[in-house]
C-alpha cells in the first residue's frame, strides 16, 4: 500500500473549522428563533407569545431571585445521574461476566425499561413522603437501565481475538475486569451519559412539577398557573442552556478520558 493511501486511512484529529461551523449554525438558529418570537408577539396576546424583551426580563428575574430553585434541580439531577451510573455499570458488569446471574438481572432491567416514566412518578407519590426521595427514586428507575444495558452491550462487543489472547495468560477475574473490560466500556459509559443528560433534565422537571415544592419544575408550574408565559419561556431557555453546559462538561470529560484514542475522520 502506498504512503498516500496509508495517509488517507490514518486517524486524523478533529477539524477545528467543524466546531466553528457548529457555533455559527447555533447562532443562526437562536437568532431565527428570537426574530420569529418578536414577529409573532406583535400579532398575538402576551399570554400566547411574549416578546424576547419580556422573556429576557423574566430571565433576569430568575437569575437574581430564583437561583435556589436552579441549584436544587441541578443537585437532584447530578445525584441521581451519578448513582444511576455507578449502579447501572455494576449491574452491567455482573450481567457481562456472570452467566448464571445474567438472565435474571437482564429480565429485571428489561421489565424496568417497559415501565412508563409516569408510572414511576405516580408510584413514588404513593410510596414515599419525602419529595427528595421521590425524585431520586423516579430518576434512578428511569436512568439506571440505560447504563446497565449499554455496559452489558459494551462487554459483548469485546473482540473475541483480544479476549482469547488475554485468557491465554490465565488472568484472574479481577484482572480481566481491570485491564480488559474497564477500558473498553468507558466510551459506552460516556456515550450513555451524553445521551441521557437531556432526557434526565426533562424527567427531573416533570418529577418536580408533580412531587416537589422547590425546583425549576415547581416554579414552571406556578408560572403556568398564574399565566406568566414569559417566565415559562425564560425557564425553558434556561433549561436549554443548562443542558448545553452539561453536554459540554461530559464532552470535556470524554476528551480527557479518551485522549489516548485518536479520532478518525472520514473524507
Amino acid at each position: 500500500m502506498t504512503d498516500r493511501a496509508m495517509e488517507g486511512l490514518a486517524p486524523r484529529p478533529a477539524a477545528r473549522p467543524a466546531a466553528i461551523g457548529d457555533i455559527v449554525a447555533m447562532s443562526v438558529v437562536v437568532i431565527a428563533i428570537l426574530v420569529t418570537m418578536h414577529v409573532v408577539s406583535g400579532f398575538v396576546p402576551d399570554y400566547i407569545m411574549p416578546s424576547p424583551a419580556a422573556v429576557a426580563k423574566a430571565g433576569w428575574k430568575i437569575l437574581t431571585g430564583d437561583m435556589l430553585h436552579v441549584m436544587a434541580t441541578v443537585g437532584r439531577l447530578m445525584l441521581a445521574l451519578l448513582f444511576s451510573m455507578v449502579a447501572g455499570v455494576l449491574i452491567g458488569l455482573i450481567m457481562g461476566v456472570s452467566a448464571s446471574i445474567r438472565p435474571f438481572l437482564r429480565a429485571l432491567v428489561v421489565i424496568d425499561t417497559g415501565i412508563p416514566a409516569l408510572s414511576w412518578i405516580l408510584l413514588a407519590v404513593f410510596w414515599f413522603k419525602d419529595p427528595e426521595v421521590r425524585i431520586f427514586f423516579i430518576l434512578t428507575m428511569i436512568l439506571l437501565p440505560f447504563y446497565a444495558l449499554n455496559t452489558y452491550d459494551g462487554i459483548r462487543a469485546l473482540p473475541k481475538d483480544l479476549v482469547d489472547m488475554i485468557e491465554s495468560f490465565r488472568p484472574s477475574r479481577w484482572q480481566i475486569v481491570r485491564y480488559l473490560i474497564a477500558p473498553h466500556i468507558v466510551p459506552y459509559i460516556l456515550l450513555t451519559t451524553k445521551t441521557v443528560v437531556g432526557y434526565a433534565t426533562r424527567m427531573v422537571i416533570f418529577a418536580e412539577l408533580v412531587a416537589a415544592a422547590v425546583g425549576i419544575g415547581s416554579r414552571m408550574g406556578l408560572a403556568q398557573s398564574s399565566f406568566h408565559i414569559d417566565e415559562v419561556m425564560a425557564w425553558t431557555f434556561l433549561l436549554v442552556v443548562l443542558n448545553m453546559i452539561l453536554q459540554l462538561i461530559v464532552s470535556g470529560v470524554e476528551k480527557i478520558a479518551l485522549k489516548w484514542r485518536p479520532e478518525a475522520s472520514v473524507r
Side-chain angles (χ1 to χ4, degrees):
M1 185 176 291
T2 64
D3 294 340
R4 183 176 297 275
M6 290 295 295
E7 182 181 0
L9 292 175
R12 297 174 178 270
R16 186 176 296 273
I20 298 176
D22 291 340
I23 295 175
V24 172
M26 179 66 70
S27 301
V28 171
V29 171
V30 170
I31 293 173
I33 292 174
L34 294 177
V35 171
T36 302
M37 289 178 58
H38 179 73
V39 173
V40 174
S41 65
F43 296 93
V44 298
D46 291 341
Y47 62 85
I48 298 296
M49 178 59 71
S51 65
V55 175
K57 183 178 179 180
W60 177 253
K61 178 182 177 183
I62 290 171
L63 294 176
T64 56
D66 285 336
M67 287 305 296
L68 175 63
H69 296 277
V70 177
M71 298 306 296
T73 298
V74 173
R76 290 163 176 161
L77 178 62
M78 291 295 97
L79 179 62
L81 193 62
L82 290 175
F83 179 83
S84 299
M85 180 189 301
V86 174
V89 169
L90 288 176
I91 292 174
L93 285 173
I94 295 173
M95 287 195 298
V97 301
S98 178
S100 59
I101 304 178
R102 179 186 307 145
F104 304 98
L105 284 180
R106 181 170 173 79
L108 285 174
V109 173
V110 170
I111 290 173
D112 190 357
T113 59
I115 299 176
L118 181 59
S119 297
W120 288 124
I121 292 174
L122 296 177
L123 290 173
V125 172
F126 283 108
W127 288 350
F128 306 107
K129 182 178 181 181
D130 189 284
E132 302 301 326
V133 177
R134 290 175 179 175
I135 296 174
F136 178 79
F137 172 79
I138 293 167
L139 292 178
T140 300
M141 291 296 101
I142 294 172
L143 299 179
L144 189 147
F146 289 98
Y147 286 101
L149 291 177
N150 285 345
T151 300
Y152 173 58
D153 287 338
I155 296 174
R156 293 177 61 198
L158 280 167
K160 187 177 185 304
D161 294 340
L162 182 59
V163 174
D164 293 340
M165 186 270 291
I166 293 292
E167 290 182 344
S168 67
F169 293 96
R170 299 184 183 277
S172 64
R173 182 64 61 86
W174 165 247
Q175 289 174 326
I176 292 177
V177 172
R178 179 180 178 183
Y179 296 110
L180 178 63
I181 295 178
H184 183 76
I185 64 174
V186 168
Y188 291 85
I189 297 172
L190 294 174
L191 177 61
T192 303
T193 303
K194 293 171 67 175
T195 303
V196 304
V197 160
Y199 182 64
T201 303
R202 294 192 294 270
M203 286 298 99
V204 73
I205 298 304
F206 191 21
E208 288 177 343
L209 178 64
V210 176
V214 177
I216 296 177
S218 64
R219 298 302 293 176
M220 293 184 73
L222 179 62
Q224 182 271 336
S225 62
S226 57
F227 297 97
H228 288 165
I229 189 64
D230 54 341
E231 293 185 12
V232 174
M233 296 290 289
W235 281 116
T236 302
F237 282 118
L238 178 63
L239 288 171
V240 172
V241 173
L242 176 61
N243 180 63
M244 294 175 64
I245 293 174
L246 294 176
Q247 292 284 357
L248 288 175
I249 292 174
V250 177
S251 297
V253 173
E254 183 181 35
K255 288 183 179 180
I256 295 174
L258 301 179
K259 61 182 180 180
W260 54 270
R261 189 183 67 175
E263 295 184 11
S265 61
V266 180
R267 297 184 300 174

